[in-house]
Amino acid sequence: MTKYYTVTTPDIGKDGKTRFHKVGVAFPQNEGAKSFMTIQLFATPVNGELVLFEPKPDSDDGQVTE
């Protein structure tokens, strides 16, 4: 299980492709916690939609990058 998720908001471009803009991070809570996840936003999505992704692994040293 990953230690955090990248929080994004989708945006459909003029070319019809969906692009995801990072707006925060989400941290799963420990087992037995009353809440499931903590989400920290540093931007407010204007469309009201959030999409969470696992961070992409870095091919060099196993560290996660965004």
Side-chain angles (χ1 to χ4, degrees):
M1 184 171 164
T2 186
K3 294 186 179 184
Y4 72 94
Y5 295 89
T6 301
V7 180
T8 65
T9 186
D11 180 36
I12 300 175
K14 293 181 182 180
D15 58 0
K17 293 182 181 180
T18 302
R19 292 171 179 82
F20 295 91
H21 302 281
K22 183 176 177 181
V23 294
V25 292
F27 301 95
Q29 297 297 322
N30 293 329
E31 194 170 315
K34 291 184 179 182
S35 63
F36 176 73
M37 189 170 289
T38 298
I39 300 173
Q40 297 177 341
L41 298 177
F42 47 79
T44 303
V46 294
N47 63 2
E49 187 174 356
L50 297 173
V51 180
L52 278 64
F53 291 102
E54 290 187 356
K56 296 179 183 177
D58 186 8
S59 58
D60 295 336
D61 59 0
Q63 297 272 339
V64 290
T65 59
E66 298 166 28

